[in-house]
Amino acid sequence: MSTPDLVLYDEEFQKIKDALGRLRQDSNANVVFLVDKNGQQIAAMGDMTNLDTTSLASLTAGNVAATDGLARLIGEKEFSILFHEGEKDNIHISIVAQRVILVVIFDERSSLGLVRLRVRRATSELDRIFEEITEKAAREKSNLSVEFESPFSEITDDDIDRLFSE
Amino acid sequence: MTFINYAAREINCKIVYYGPGLCGKTTNLQYIYDRTNPAAKGKLISLATETDRTLFFDFLPLDLGTVKGFKTRFHLYTVPGQVFYDASRKLILKGVDGVVFVADSQEARMEANAESIRNLDKNLKDQGYDISVIPYVLQFNKRDLPTAVPSDEMYRQLNIKGEPTFEATAPTGVGVFDTLKAVARQVLMELKKK
């Protein structure tokens, strides 16, 4: 398969959440979240009431994918930052560690300049965390048979039937 | 690319409905959306033109329940079927875990079905997947129409690897959940191998 599966454990998940929480605070943003390029939300921090984060994640990934396609059409590798300005709220989108999308939603209590500045700092921190995740995944894979037992190795037809029984 | 979150105990899988224009991909999702318990579904998002032709994708998140203590979440996507939207189709296949091919049973659409499968094969390859390996289900939709080609004839023309095949009439829901269940089964069984 083209991209390896993303497997996230508690330790890294907590680190990611801490990094997002700091970014939200330092940039005065309302919401900060991380989505993988396929549209699945990885983590989110901030006030998410009245926010459909699943749809937001999927549309963000669609947006980034379409913009990537546009970039390649005109001979660019990518447009690494997307910014959408609204009357009240704004969305700042950037790519982290080549595979995940960092989204910051902010209003007049912050500014584009501040968000960009703080995003840059958070990006290098997140880059490091994702490097660890990739290394850990590679390690787990190499001693797969010894230590790591997938919780799904015992999955049965009945388990799957039960999912559709309601 | 299945996303397994051990911290939140969640598995997220991506399923794409593929097929020629007007074959009923969006109708499949619409029926699933209408018949799913509100607590288990998110919003159905449709990026469509004013005439209801899919422009980029439809998206429906579904929470099916738990397997081995993990919440299973399926993200269902459709692609735009019209030939000239190929660039968009390619993007939506990124990170796909399973594909449902919705074929239009009408005689006049048989060539379009075959063309769309060839296109799927090529686009999967471009994303690094192999159609002969990836979880894959074939649906013969619009069985209620008088011009429908017999199922065994469609099977002969469209089947590529003995994949599970279902007859469907998407607006009334015939075959819709059977199709979804079959692809979900393959995707989850795929996890078992890893």
Side-chain angles (χ1 to χ4, degrees):
Chain A
M1 299 275 159
S2 54
T3 32
D5 289 346
L6 179 61
V7 178
L8 199 58
Y9 296 95
D10 282 308
E11 192 189 349
E12 287 78 21
F13 188 52
Q14 202 49 54
K15 281 187 191 165
I16 289 172
K17 279 188 16 191
D18 291 346
L20 296 186
R22 261 195 304 282
L23 170 60
R24 189 179 91 85
Q25 206 156 31
D26 294 348
S27 64
N28 273 334
N30 303 351
V31 176
V32 173
F33 67 95
L34 209 55
V35 182
D36 82 2
K37 279 197 170 176
N38 307 318
Q40 317 216 7
Q41 185 190 306
I42 297 172
M45 294 300 275
D47 180 13
M48 257 93 60
T49 38
N50 302 324
L51 204 59
D52 178 354
T53 50
T54 311
S55 301
L56 207 56
S58 149
L59 288 175
T60 303
N63 192 352
V64 167
T67 312
D68 269 358
L70 281 176
R72 275 194 298 274
L73 281 182
I74 63 162
E76 278 292 324
K77 200 171 120 256
E78 63 177 7
F79 296 121
S80 54
I81 291 174
L82 307 179
F83 176 58
H84 301 297
E85 189 173 8
E87 267 176 28
K88 266 175 38 221
D89 293 309
N90 314 292
I91 300 187
H92 183 281
I93 299 172
S94 55
I95 309 293
V96 173
Q98 278 126 49
R99 66 181 292 181
V100 289
I101 304 164
L102 175 62
V103 183
V104 180
I105 302 178
F106 64 96
D107 57 21
E108 74 283 352
R109 282 170 294 176
S110 182
S111 69
L112 178 58
L114 179 66
V115 169
R116 290 185 85 149
L117 190 68
R118 300 306 188 208
V119 160
R120 202 169 301 150
R121 196 167 65 189
T123 298
S124 56
E125 189 179 349
L126 288 165
D127 276 342
R128 271 197 308 279
I129 300 172
F130 276 92
E131 219 167 276
E132 280 170 32
I133 291 175
T134 313
E135 277 168 19
K136 195 165 184 173
R139 262 202 318 275
E140 294 288 2
K141 210 163 201 174
S142 66
N143 55 22
L144 194 65
S145 51
V146 200
E147 281 175 29
F148 183 78
E149 168 108 39
S150 160
F152 310 109
S153 57
E154 304 274 300
I155 212 167
T156 63
D157 272 356
D158 288 346
D159 289 326
I160 295 167
D161 284 336
R162 226 169 291 131
L163 281 180
F164 285 88
S165 60
E166 288 135 39
Chain B
M1 193 200 79
T2 324
F3 169 36
I4 305 175
N5 188 337
Y6 281 85
R9 298 194 77 74
E10 272 180 14
I11 345 167
N12 289 286
C13 308
K14 177 172 179 177
I15 292 173
V16 174
Y17 283 69
Y18 212 91
L22 294 174
C23 68
K25 300 172 288 294
T26 303
T27 313
N28 263 271
L29 252 64
Q30 187 67 52
Y31 186 83
I32 294 167
Y33 177 78
D34 291 341
R35 288 306 162 99
T36 306
N37 162 5
K41 68 186 176 193
K43 241 186 240 146
L44 174 64
I45 288 196
S46 238
L47 303 180
T49 65
E50 284 172 6
T51 51
D52 274 341
R53 302 299 303 267
T54 304
L55 182 61
F56 194 6
F57 58 77
D58 306 305
F59 168 66
L60 174 63
L62 273 188
D63 282 335
L64 283 184
T66 55
V67 170
K68 302 287 164 212
F70 277 73
K71 212 196 255 177
T72 52
R73 184 169 289 162
F74 284 87
H75 288 181
L76 312 184
Y77 284 82
T78 66
V79 297
Q82 295 176 85
V83 175
F84 58 89
Y85 287 132
D86 198 40
S88 306
R89 268 195 298 279
K90 223 174 261 183
L91 296 177
I92 294 153
L93 283 177
K94 239 188 210 173
V96 66
D97 293 303
V99 177
V100 171
F101 188 88
V102 181
D104 189 327
S105 293
Q106 298 174 90
E107 174 105 59
R109 300 297 286 161
M110 290 308 284
E111 186 43 45
N113 290 329
E115 172 60 34
S116 181
I117 289 183
R118 277 195 295 274
N119 176 256
L120 168 65
D121 178 40
K122 181 184 168 294
N123 283 343
L124 280 172
K125 236 176 238 147
D126 287 354
Q127 299 283 358
Y129 301 104
D130 181 350
I131 198 168
S132 63
V133 178
I134 197 164
Y136 179 72
V137 171
L138 180 59
Q139 182 189 78
F140 301 149
N141 194 22
K142 309 195 185 181
R143 294 312 298 168
D144 57 327
L145 294 186
T147 51
V149 174
S151 279
D152 48 354
E153 175 57 20
M154 286 189 76
Y155 188 78
R156 201 182 58 76
Q157 288 193 35
L158 302 176
N159 144 73
I160 33 180
K161 54 175 181 180
E163 63 272 15
T165 306
F166 297 91
E167 295 193 5
T169 309
T172 56
V174 176
V176 169
F177 275 98
D178 293 335
T179 306
L180 173 62
K181 190 171 168 180
V183 75
R185 177 183 303 271
Q186 285 187 44
V187 168
L188 293 172
M189 284 301 175
E190 208 42 46
L191 287 177
K192 190 173 172 170
K193 291 187 205 151
K194 286 176 184 162

